[in-house]
Amino acid sequence: MSHFVSAAELSDLIVREPRLRVLDVRWRLGGPDGHPEYLEGHIPGAVYVDLETELSRHGRPDEGRHPLPDTETVQEAARRWGIDDGDPVVVYDDYRGLAAARAWWILRQGGVDVRVLDGGWPAWRSSGMVVESGAVARQPGAATLTDIGGGSLTIDEVAVFPASGVLLDVRAAERYRGETEPYDPVAGHIPGAVNLPTAAHLEADGTARGAVEIRANLAAVGVTDETPIAAYCGSGITAAHTALMLAEAGIDAKIFHGSWSQWSNTPGRPVATGPQPG
C-alpha cells in the first residue's frame, strides 16, 4: 500500500471513513507557525498540529534544533487530536511535505496507520476540493503508541554508520559542501556522508516521484537493495521526508534526528567539506 493519498482519494475517505483523522502540519523553518493560515482555510475536519511543540521538544544546542519528543508526549498529543487505536490518519502541509513527513515518521514509528497527502495543501486547493475555516477540536482519543525512537540513530551510531552502509546528507548541495550554513555554527558535513538532496525525489509541483526514479537517485550514490541506509539533514525534519520517499520505493531507512544541528554543536566532532564524502 502506498504511503500517499491523492486529493481525490482523501476527499473520498472523508466521506466514507468516519474514523479518519486529518492533521494539518503547516510549518516553516525560521518563520511563524502555520496556525493563522490553518484558521483561514483547511481540509474539512483537519486538526492543527504544532511541529515545534508537539512533534519536537526544546533541548540543549548539542541535542539539535528539533530533538524528538518522548513517546508519552506524542501519545498525549495524538489523544488531543482525537486519535484512537486503529484510526486511519492522513497528514499534510503546504510546502513539499517536509513537515507532514515528520508527523508521518513519528506516528508510523508509534504504530499508527498514517499516510501523507501527495502534494499537500496546494494539491487540495488546485483540485477544487471543499475548504473549511476556523479551528477544529476533537473529542479526546485513547490511542496507545509504541516507542517512537526505534528508527533513530544516536550521534555515536551515525559517526560509524558510513563504515557499514550509506549515510545520506539530504540538505542542499551548497550546505553539504560547506559553502554556506544559514542555521548552524559550522559548515560542512559528517565525514563519510554522501549528498542526495530530498528535493531530487519530488516533481516540480511538490508531488512524489515514482519508485523507479527514487531508486535511480539512490543507485547514483551507491545504494543497492542490500545497503543499510540512514539519513540526516539540518535538524531532522527533511531527513524524515527522505525516509518517506524511500519507504514509498520499498526501502527502509533510519534517521539521525539530531542531524547537522547536533553534530555541529557537539565539541570534538570532525567536519568534512567539499563535494566528496571526506
Side-chain angles (χ1 to χ4, degrees):
M1 185 178 70
S2 176
H3 294 277
F4 291 96
V5 295
S6 67
E9 289 169 333
L10 177 54
S11 180
D12 181 60
L13 280 171
I14 290 171
V15 172
R16 65 179 176 83
E17 178 50 83
R19 294 188 62 179
L20 177 71
R21 297 293 178 258
V22 182
L23 305 180
D24 185 310
V25 200
R26 278 181 264 192
W27 169 85
R28 287 285 193 281
L29 178 62
D33 65 37
H35 192 249
E37 288 78 11
Y38 162 81
L39 293 176
E40 290 177 6
H42 54 78
I43 294 173
V47 174
Y48 181 73
V49 174
D50 189 324
L51 184 146
E52 294 282 352
T53 61
E54 296 180 302
L55 298 178
S56 61
R57 62 179 173 82
H58 298 294
R60 305 184 311 271
D62 64 358
E63 293 180 289
R65 279 180 278 114
H66 293 105
L68 273 184
D70 58 37
T71 301
E72 183 179 14
T73 297
V74 178
Q75 180 174 277
E76 291 174 357
R79 292 176 176 181
R80 287 196 303 274
W81 305 331
I83 299 175
D84 287 308
D85 289 336
D87 285 351
V89 176
V90 174
V91 297
Y92 73 93
D93 60 37
D94 62 353
Y95 185 69
R96 296 190 163 193
L98 301 183
R102 171 74 165 207
W104 169 85
W105 171 270
I106 287 176
L107 292 175
R108 182 183 184 227
Q109 293 294 311
V112 176
D113 174 14
V114 56
R115 287 184 284 172
V116 176
L117 174 59
D118 197 14
W121 178 244
W124 185 265
R125 295 292 285 137
S126 65
S127 298
M129 299 299 183
V130 175
V131 173
E132 182 178 81
S133 62
V136 174
R138 294 280 188 182
Q139 289 294 319
T144 303
L145 272 60
T146 54
D147 178 22
I148 68 168
S152 299
L153 297 178
T154 67
I155 193 170
D156 290 328
E157 289 170 336
V158 81
V160 298
F161 194 88
S164 59
V166 173
L167 177 61
L168 299 176
D169 182 317
V170 305
R171 299 173 300 163
E174 60 271 19
R175 291 184 69 191
Y176 171 83
R177 294 191 297 262
E179 296 166 3
T180 183
E181 181 45 65
Y183 306 109
D184 295 310
V186 180
H189 60 265
I190 296 174
V194 297
N195 187 220
L196 181 57
T198 200
H201 308 307
L202 291 172
E203 302 286 359
D205 63 357
T207 56
R209 294 187 186 276
V212 172
E213 292 171 286
I214 294 171
R215 284 182 168 272
N217 291 336
L218 293 168
V221 294
V223 174
T224 68
D225 286 343
E226 292 76 34
T227 308
I229 305 175
Y232 77 92
C233 57
S235 66
I237 307 299
T238 309
H241 184 269
T242 286
L244 169 63
M245 296 296 108
L246 269 57
E248 187 67 6
I251 300 168
D252 287 328
K254 293 187 177 296
I255 293 178
F256 171 36
H257 274 102
S259 283
W260 186 248
S261 57
Q262 181 179 13
W263 188 273
S264 62
N265 276 287
T266 302
R269 296 292 174 175
V271 173
T273 56
Q276 300 301 319

